[in-house]
Each structure stands twice: as structure tokens, then as C-alpha cells.
Amino acid sequence: MLLPLLFLFAAAGLTDASIQFPITENTQVDTSLCPITYFGQEYTTIYINFTGEHMFVCFNGYYHPESNGDCIKAPNTESKTYFELNTEDYSFLNSVTFDVKDSINTITNDATCYLRFDHPTTFGLIAMGSQSVLWWYNPPQIIASVLVNGDVVENVPGSENWVYSDTSGCRISGFGVKPGTTRQSLDNCTSLICSNTRVSSTKSCLVKGLCTVTGPTVFDFRGQMNSVSDRCEYTLLQDQSAGFSLKANFLERRRRDVSFVDSVTLDFSQGADIQLLQGHRVLVGGSPVTLSGLVQTFNGVGLSKDQTGVTANISLNGSPVSVFFDGTTAQIYIDVPVNVKGLCADSSSSSSSRLSSDSSCQQQYVDPADDTINSTAVIEQCNILKSSPFSSCNAVVDPESYIIACRNTLNKYPAVDGLRCQFLKAYAKACQKRQATVQNWWTAAKCYHPEPICQDKCSDHEFCGDIHGNTDCRCRAIYASNYTEQNRLGGPTVCKDNTASLTLVGCLLKENGIDYNHLHLNDKTCTGVMDPESHMLKFSFSSDSCGTEVTTNNSQVIFTNAVVTRNSSSDLITRQDKVFIEFSCSHPTPELQNVAFKIIDNSVEVVLESGEWHYNLTMKAYSDAAQTQLLGPNSDVRLNQKIWIVLETNGLDAEVVSVVTDSCWATSGNSPSSSPRYDLITDGCANAEDGTVQVMGNGEGTSNSFSFNMFEFSGKEPSEVYLHCQLQLCVKKNNSCDPSCSGPARRRRSLRYRRGAPALISMVWTP
């Protein structure tokens, strides 16, 4: 019977179908027209078989007591049933959708089709998208069983009315779970919640004891160990009922691919947060506080500090909790069991404990292997935890996880900045918390020097470490790589107008053995300014200060200076490497912009821009040589009256550039190219044929002037006289800007000061 049934379904090829036939023996049925999602798994085939007292409808093979099948088990009295697959009974589907949603609040989808089994027992499976429902209609004493992996999830008794059971559910550790059900994981630390067809989890463990975070490694309360591989903020401990979270921020140090716990924050839903930072520094509500060995209370937290680090004591729902942080290791101790979650509750919960919303902190780096690391030496250094005096604690605190963490870190990161002793100290402190103090361990382990503590506050891009045998702020690897990969000690030159600045990274200078106090510009009186917060060293200069050299290159003006080391002839010896960092700014040579206007006031001012240059140009006409009597629209200018024209700029550096009036001419029309044309100045010099023209200060500064006697064009009715002047700017460095106005070299010399396109200025008088 099987093959004809399968052929019938395939031949039908219908999207809407109603198929019915009796089943009296083991039968496999293709139900792809009505797929059923059963506890998170979609099935398109069912298997019907009869076993004595029961009939089974299974999804993953015929039922067998040892088959661990997904099945519906119903009573069997006659070893037969009447099967129906229906996708077109819309009236029934609409009606059953209403009934199901009214009966089961976890069902949100509409019915699309159903599988029905009838006589002697009546039941069916209703497909509702990603959900499904068992439909049961039998006397109360007749019971159907819902099986997942052979285990009974639910027994559904009959009723005089239709009974519905949600068979969507979830699978947790192989077990079928009804929607809305919560199960605990085997470690009793994970709550797995089935919501409709999805499984979500929450971490919350009843724990006590010691949690240690050192370097990238977390040793949780249960003794399990895992490492943080990124540079994000994580929850170490959270008690939602108490409104408290303990957070740890991880950052890189000398290598980009190894993270270290960098700070710890006690976060309260009410009240000021408390941050425990490097250098035994503490911030309460963002403000620094000074601590001593005496306990001081802030926001209900007892804070104290000694030479080993800072301790914070709090109470979570009556249970005392101690938090210790020394800048490299955080240790949290709970004496009375509390229900919490976070990395200290379960060190493997990094994905759910990560707090940082910025995904950039998760970026992974691969730095070249450190060839100074000796793996054999690392094993010996870490295995000391099994030797005296640490062995006296081995029965109380298993050293194996500490040894593994020590090896994993030191095989990748050099044993500097007290890192080797950091793991040993963490183990010794764990022993101390369990009343198994390890005596004089630092002597046996040759840990004579404490972890580095910087007296000055390190900036965000720095950490406290060893620099040439001294404790100081080093650059973090990711930040430093922005400069070292380009073989630089700082940022690019910042140019503005005729000034420039260069910023060097203080920690990079230190790591390269450079004392910033010995640096200056070409002029040794020009030294850098160190920012006390960012530790960035800034040098600034202008075009006419600090020994700046000004040169020209085609259409560019270049300002050049250098950062160098102090060189004093009185010094018998020096311990400073020679430094020479040259930097410069180039600007387009400023060009006057074309402008045309009528004189409507005593003077006209125009704001001009050219590249980095910003300046003003004014043009004024006077009736006296002293240039005190401005000419305006109401001035009476007579023929043959001498006129003085002044061109003046404001905003240009007179030490660098000069204004040169190259030519001036008059026309009777407003176009500079109209005719007739009469020349007053050519090639920067007065028209030799017009004895009334005089040029003053041309090329000597940022302003110049000339004079001429007023005239009108002959043979024309009295009309407007348009005066046009063409100007150039000249870079004075190694160049003469004063036009030569006598002898045969006149024109050749005047060409030397041309830079860029000339500017045209026009003025008009109306008779």
C-alpha cells in the first residue's frame, strides 16, 4: 500500500489538497504538503504502526521501545485508523485557529493544514507555521502521550470537548520542553527557558568562595578557568535583586593579542559607582578619593588601601562580599552562598557577560611570536606552584588551573612588568583566603620587586610598566601601532595660516629613551608643552619664529622647522640620543581675487581667501599726498587734479610676502580689455611718457600707492573713466620684490616676482 500512496501524493502536485485513505498496517506517509514542526524539528514524513495495545504516529521512523522516537502514542483496539491530510478546509482551519488561540496562550500563528486519525480513537496534528498543536477528542479515560526522544513530555487525557496541546516546544539537552518551561542545566548554574519555539538561557548560580581574575584569566567560584580574548567590559558578578554589578574592563598592554584586567567597577543601581583603577587609585562617582589603612565608607561600601592594593567590602542581601584589586589581579570572596551570575559564577559565560556595545573591542589581532620567550623556562617558572613553599597549599587549592593559565600567558607574552610573579601572587592569595597561608613565597620564587605602580596617573592609552629599568607609563600596543607602523613618534603636522604644530606621543618618547625636556625647535628657546592628562608633547611655531625656514617651490610657500635634542657645549657627557624630526607646512602662494566695483563710499574693503591664507584688501582714493582726504561719490575731481591711489592688505605676513602693483591702465568702458586704453603703470613701473605718474613703495610691503593727474579721453563726450590695476604677490625669501624701473634689465627683473595669476581691480569716476 505504501508505494501507491506515495505516488498518489506526488502525482497530485497540489498546493491545496484533501487526501484520505485507511491504514491497517505499518505505513510511511509523505506529508510534505502539510509539514509539522514538532518540538523545534520540522517533519515531512510520518510513520504509523500498531503494537498490541497502542498505535504510534512517529516522525523519525517506526516506533520501537529503544528507538528514542518523536511520537504520539494513542490506544489501539482494532489495529486500524482512517487517515486524512487536509489543506483546503478553510472553514475548519479558521474555526480551529480561534479555538486553539483561545485555549493556548503560547500559540501565535494561524492553522494552515492538519493531519487527522479517526476510528476508533480520534486525534490529529494541526500545522500552524513554526508551531503545531495536538488535537485530541476522546472519552476522559482515553489518554494520548506526547513523546520526544522516547520520553513522555505530556499525557493528554480525553474530554467531552476537543482538547489541544502545544507540541511546538523546544529541545533542551535532548529533552522535549513545553513552551514557558524553565529547566536547570546539569551544573545548576544555567536556567534554560523555552519561549514558544526558542530557547534562551540565563546564568544564575548559588555560589560562595573565591573568584580570581588575573591577566586574561578568570578562575570562577566553582574552580573552572577560562580566558578573555578581547578588550571589552564584562560582568564578573551580578545580583539583580540587590541592584549590584561588579564589572571588569580588559585592555591590551605590550601586545595587541593578549588582554589584561585593567580596572574594576562596583556598579549600583542606586548611588555612586566606585572604580578601582591602576596605581591603587579609586574614583567614587567619577571623583578621586584618598584612602588609607582605615576603612572609609562610601555609598555603603567600606574602602581601604594598603601597600598590596585596595579592598572594597559590601553586603549582598545580608551576605558579605569582599573585592580586592591591585591593578593586575582582582579577587572576589563570598563566605555565605548567594545567587549571582557573571564570569565569576560561570567563567564560560563570556558571550552573555560581555557588556561593551561597541563591537570594535572584540576585534582580534595576531602579533608576531616573541622569540625571546623560552617555553622550557616558562614551564619551570609556572611549575613552581607545585614546589615548596606553595606545595603546602596544594591540597587546599588545586594549582593545576593556575599553572595552565600561567603557561598560556607566558608562552605568548614576555615575563615583564612582574607578570610571572602576578600568577604566583594570585595563587598565594587564594590560599590565604582558605586559611592556608604560603610563607615567604616571594623569596623562594625570586619575586623581590612588587608589581609596577606609577606615581603619575597614566592616560587611557597607557599602562604602568617597566621602561629601561624604571617604572613609568608605557603605550598600549594598539594605540602605539598607529604610529610605529609608520615609523613615527607622533601625529602629522597641523598647518593653519602661517602657523604649524607637531604633537609627539610622550610614552613613545620614553620607550625610545628620549627625555622630552631635552627637545626644542631650531631655536632652542622654543620647547614643547607637555599635556599633563594625555602626556602628549606639542611644538608650535609661526613663519617668523623659532628659527623657521621659509622657501618657495613653484606655487607653494613652505615653512620648515625641526625638533632636535639640546646640544650644549658645556656638557661633558650626554645620555640622550640625538633626535632630528623635521616637519613643514606648504601653502599655495596667496593670490588676489578678481574684483570689480564702483566707488560708492570713501573706501572699499574685500575679504579674500587663498588656500590657507585669509586676509582683507582695501582700495582707497585720496586727494592729498598725506592721504588724509578720501575721495568719494560727492567729491569734486577736476581735470589735471592729482589723485593718490592706495592698495593695502591686512592679514598677510609682511616678512613673507609683498604686494606688487604690476600694471594700471584706464579705459572709457567698463571692460578692462576695451579701447581706447591709456597705460599708467607697466611692469611695476610708471609710464615714462606720462610725467604725472609716480609709484611709491611698490613691492616693499603689503601695501603700496601711486599717483597721477586726472584726465578724460579726447574726442569723446564727457564720460566715465575706468581705472584698472593688475596686482601680484611676491614671496620675499631669496627674491627681490622691488621692480627695477630703469635700464635695460627693467622687464626681465620684474618677471622674477610673479607668483600665480594676477588680480584685476577696477575703479570708476563719473563726471
Side-chain angles (χ1 to χ4, degrees):
M1 178 179 292
L2 175 60
L3 291 179
L5 286 175
L6 293 177
F7 176 78
L8 174 63
F9 279 54
L14 301 176
T15 56
D16 295 325
S18 175
I19 302 169
Q20 305 175 19
F21 55 86
I23 296 176
T24 58
E25 59 183 339
N26 293 358
T27 304
Q28 175 183 340
V29 181
D30 177 2
T31 58
S32 56
L33 291 177
C34 186
I36 301 295
T37 299
Y38 187 82
F39 288 90
Q41 178 68 52
E42 182 181 272
Y43 292 107
T44 57
T45 303
I46 60 173
Y47 301 82
I48 301 96
N49 64 317
F50 305 94
T51 59
E53 296 180 352
H54 298 100
M55 165 187 169
F56 289 89
V57 177
C58 299
F59 299 97
N60 51 356
Y62 293 112
Y63 173 78
H64 185 275
E66 298 178 358
S67 65
N68 297 327
D70 293 348
C71 305
I72 303 296
K73 181 176 75 171
N76 170 43
T77 57
E78 301 181 12
S79 296
K80 69 176 182 179
T81 189
Y82 196 82
F83 172 74
E84 177 185 5
L85 183 154
N86 197 306
T87 65
E88 62 182 11
D89 190 349
Y90 302 116
S91 176
F92 174 81
L93 293 173
N94 290 336
S95 175
V96 79
T97 294
F98 177 82
D99 289 345
V100 167
K101 290 183 177 181
D102 187 54
S103 301
I104 306 175
N105 58 16
T106 55
I107 295 295
T108 57
N109 299 331
D110 294 341
T112 57
C113 58
Y114 63 84
L115 309 179
R116 175 173 173 147
F117 304 86
D118 205 358
H119 186 76
T121 55
T122 300
F123 66 97
L125 288 164
I126 304 170
M128 308 186 79
S130 60
Q131 299 176 303
S132 66
V133 169
L134 171 65
W135 155 41
W136 183 249
Y137 180 61
N138 287 284
Q141 67 273 18
I142 306 294
I143 296 175
S145 298
V146 178
L147 282 66
V148 174
N149 283 341
D151 294 320
V152 176
V153 176
E154 182 182 20
N155 289 317
V156 183
S159 172
E160 296 180 355
N161 300 312
W162 288 357
V163 176
Y164 301 104
S165 174
D166 189 345
T167 53
S168 307
C170 313
R171 295 171 191 257
I172 298 177
S173 301
F175 296 98
V177 178
K178 298 280 287 184
T181 302
T182 299
R183 280 200 175 190
Q184 290 294 117
S185 61
L186 296 178
D187 61 5
N188 290 322
C189 273
T190 305
S191 296
L192 302 171
I193 304 170
C194 176
S195 176
N196 291 341
T197 59
R198 292 172 297 176
V199 179
S200 60
S201 64
T202 59
K203 298 284 185 178
S204 182
C205 305
L206 191 63
V207 296
K208 73 172 185 176
L210 180 68
C211 171
T212 297
V213 185
T214 188
T217 309
V218 179
F219 305 88
D220 65 25
F221 290 116
R222 299 175 299 138
Q224 302 300 309
M225 176 198 73
N226 280 281
S227 294
V228 172
S229 61
D230 56 28
R231 300 157 310 286
C232 299
E233 186 178 37
Y234 286 84
T235 297
L236 295 181
L237 196 72
Q238 183 180 46
D239 186 341
Q240 291 179 323
S241 63
F244 170 76
S245 292
L246 180 65
K247 304 173 182 177
N249 194 43
F250 290 81
L251 290 174
E252 88 286 1
R253 294 189 177 177
R254 297 190 186 216
R255 292 178 61 91
R256 298 179 300 174
D257 54 357
V258 181
S259 297
F260 294 82
V261 59
D262 192 71
S263 63
V264 174
T265 301
L266 288 76
D267 189 346
F268 300 91
S269 59
Q270 295 182 347
D273 294 344
I274 298 175
Q275 291 177 277
L276 311 183
L277 308 174
Q278 287 191 53
H280 300 178
R281 294 182 296 114
V282 178
L283 300 181
V284 177
S287 300
V289 296
T290 301
L291 299 177
S292 64
L294 299 176
V295 176
Q296 301 179 53
T297 302
F298 300 88
N299 195 28
V301 178
L303 295 174
S304 61
K305 182 175 75 171
D306 58 21
Q307 71 275 12
T308 65
V310 177
T311 300
N313 291 299
I314 63 174
S315 176
L316 294 182
N317 295 320
S319 300
V321 178
S322 172
V323 179
F324 171 83
F325 186 61
D326 62 5
T328 61
T329 299
Q331 291 186 307
I332 302 93
Y333 186 74
I334 302 177
D335 191 35
V336 178
V338 293
N339 195 30
V340 295
K341 61 182 180 179
L343 288 180
C344 279
D346 181 359
S347 60
S348 65
S349 63
S350 59
S351 59
S352 60
S353 298
R354 186 184 297 113
L355 296 171
S356 304
S357 58
D358 184 2
S359 61
S360 63
C361 72
Q362 301 180 46
Q363 181 177 348
Q364 298 297 307
Y365 294 89
V366 179
D367 283 349
D370 190 329
D371 56 11
T372 66
I373 295 176
N374 185 324
S375 298
T376 302
V378 167
I379 293 175
E380 294 177 358
Q381 292 168 354
C382 298
N383 280 353
I384 193 175
L385 290 176
K386 293 182 179 179
S387 304
S388 177
F390 296 98
S391 57
S392 64
C393 177
N394 288 176
V396 180
V397 179
D398 188 352
E400 196 60 37
S401 59
Y402 287 84
I403 292 173
I404 293 173
C406 177
R407 289 178 183 174
N408 289 345
T409 304
L410 292 181
N411 274 322
K412 196 171 186 179
Y413 194 97
V416 292
D417 307 327
L419 181 58
R420 176 182 68 88
C421 296
Q422 177 180 319
F423 285 94
L424 307 184
K425 178 183 177 182
Y427 180 79
K429 198 166 184 66
C431 293
Q432 181 183 1
K433 282 294 184 181
R434 290 173 169 83
Q435 309 303 316
T437 301
V438 180
Q439 300 291 338
N440 299 322
W441 65 268
W442 52 89
T443 302
K446 299 181 180 180
C447 293
Y448 304 119
H449 303 289
E451 293 89 349
I453 299 176
C454 293
Q455 298 302 319
D456 295 330
K457 173 186 175 184
C458 294
S459 65
D460 290 342
H461 62 265
E462 298 172 330
F463 70 96
C464 192
D466 178 83
I467 301 181
H468 309 303
N470 298 311
T471 299
D472 213 329
C473 296
R474 295 186 62 95
C475 292
R476 295 192 187 276
I478 295 176
Y479 179 85
S481 66
N482 296 324
Y483 304 96
T484 56
E485 289 178 354
Q486 302 178 47
N487 197 30
R488 294 192 287 114
L489 292 175
T493 307
V494 178
C495 303
K496 184 177 181 182
D497 295 333
N498 64 335
T499 64
S501 64
L502 177 70
T503 301
L504 302 179
V505 181
C507 53
L508 285 180
L509 294 175
K510 293 176 184 177
E511 292 173 23
N512 284 275
I514 301 171
D515 184 347
Y516 80 91
N517 292 298
H518 290 76
L519 300 179
H520 58 77
L521 296 179
N522 286 339
D523 183 341
K524 63 181 181 181
T525 64
C526 296
T527 56
V529 177
M530 178 65 75
D531 187 300
E533 295 295 326
S534 65
H535 296 168
M536 304 296 280
L537 181 66
K538 185 175 182 179
F539 290 90
S540 301
F541 69 89
S542 61
S543 60
D544 59 351
S545 67
C546 297
T548 303
E549 297 179 3
V550 182
T551 58
T552 61
N553 180 11
N554 296 326
S555 61
Q556 299 289 311
V557 180
I558 303 172
F559 304 152
T560 304
N561 213 313
V563 176
V564 297
T565 47
R566 185 174 61 207
N567 183 17
S568 174
S569 58
S570 63
D571 292 339
L572 180 62
I573 65 170
T574 180
R575 291 188 171 93
Q576 296 296 313
D577 289 333
K578 290 184 178 180
V579 176
F580 182 81
I581 305 172
E582 188 175 64
F583 60 111
S584 62
C585 285
S586 61
H587 303 300
T589 303
E591 300 175 358
L592 294 175
Q593 307 298 311
N594 289 342
V595 59
F597 51 86
K598 268 191 174 184
I599 295 182
I600 59 173
D601 207 342
N602 291 342
S603 64
V604 174
E605 181 176 359
V606 181
V607 178
L608 301 172
E609 294 185 21
S610 178
E612 293 290 331
W613 303 81
H614 305 272
Y615 54 96
N616 300 342
L617 170 67
T618 59
M619 187 174 188
K620 302 176 182 178
Y622 296 89
S623 62
D624 63 315
Q627 300 172 6
T628 61
Q629 302 298 317
L630 282 170
L631 291 175
N634 298 322
S635 300
D636 186 14
V637 180
R638 300 180 304 275
L639 286 175
N640 208 34
Q641 178 180 340
K642 186 171 285 292
I643 304 298
W644 282 264
I645 304 297
V646 177
L647 290 167
E648 184 177 23
T649 63
N650 181 29
L652 293 175
D653 191 341
E655 298 294 324
V656 179
V657 295
S658 291
V659 176
V660 179
T661 302
D662 188 51
S663 58
C664 288
W665 67 98
T667 62
S668 60
N670 62 358
S671 172
S673 60
S674 64
S675 59
R677 165 177 171 152
Y678 182 76
D679 291 310
L680 296 172
I681 300 174
T682 58
D683 294 326
C685 301
N687 183 353
E689 298 179 359
D690 187 337
T692 71
V693 180
Q694 291 181 301
V695 181
M696 289 77 71
N698 201 11
E700 296 178 2
T702 56
S703 64
N704 59 58
S705 62
F706 65 95
S707 63
F708 66 97
N709 288 6
M710 192 63 189
F711 60 86
E712 66 179 13
F713 286 96
S714 302
K716 291 183 175 289
E717 293 293 327
S719 62
E720 297 172 337
V721 175
Y722 290 84
L723 176 65
H724 312 282
C725 289
Q726 185 170 277
L727 295 93
Q728 301 274 5
L729 291 184
C730 173
V731 178
K732 300 170 67 174
K733 186 72 173 181
N734 300 324
N735 195 18
S736 174
C737 297
D738 181 13
S740 176
C741 294
S742 62
R746 167 181 167 179
R747 181 163 181 82
R748 181 175 64 254
R749 184 170 181 185
S750 69
L751 290 173
R752 294 182 60 193
Y753 60 74
R754 294 184 182 274
R755 291 291 184 272
L760 182 65
I761 301 175
S762 299
M763 181 180 291
V764 61
W765 283 271
T766 301

